[in-house]
Amino acid sequence: MDEAAATLAVVVARLDDVREDIRDLRTDLSAHRIEMVSRGEWEMRNRAVDNRFESQGREIAELKAARAPWWSWASVLVASAAFAWAILGPVIGS
């Protein structure tokens, strides 16, 4: 009888562990379901992101296609010449 009681105690302990594990799984599943979104909402979010990428791609292509006006190049040349004169002017002048 003593052996049967010990075996029963082990079985009861194992059942309690299984019940606790199942309770934890249910809690995890409930928490996971809260984070999930419906398929329609997921597709809508993906479409919104895709549209943003496409519009940014178009903007980048437009910026690459646009050329800088001639005066921007001229201003770079004038600034470079002024910088060179600021460095070399005193050397040449003396």
Side-chain angles (χ1 to χ4, degrees):
M1 201 60 142
D2 198 15
E3 202 172 297
T7 303
L8 184 60
V10 169
V11 169
V12 168
R14 297 285 178 163
L15 282 175
D16 287 340
D17 290 342
V18 169
R19 285 183 185 133
E20 186 177 335
D21 289 344
I22 290 174
R23 192 175 310 117
D24 291 342
L25 285 173
R26 285 181 179 165
T27 303
D28 291 345
L29 182 62
S30 296
H32 182 67
R33 283 186 180 166
I34 291 171
E35 295 173 0
M36 292 179 67
V37 295
S38 67
R39 184 174 191 82
E41 184 179 350
W42 180 77
E43 289 174 349
M44 182 183 68
R45 290 179 183 179
N46 276 352
R47 269 187 258 119
V49 169
D50 289 344
N51 289 338
R52 277 192 238 134
F53 276 132
E54 287 174 8
S55 65
Q56 288 176 351
R58 274 187 249 115
E59 288 177 16
I60 290 170
E62 289 172 5
L63 289 173
K64 284 182 178 179
R67 295 198 174 167
W70 65 269
W71 61 83
S72 66
W73 291 105
S75 66
V76 170
L77 289 175
V78 169
S80 298
F83 182 71
W85 182 254
I87 293 173
L88 298 176
V91 175
I92 296 172
S94 53

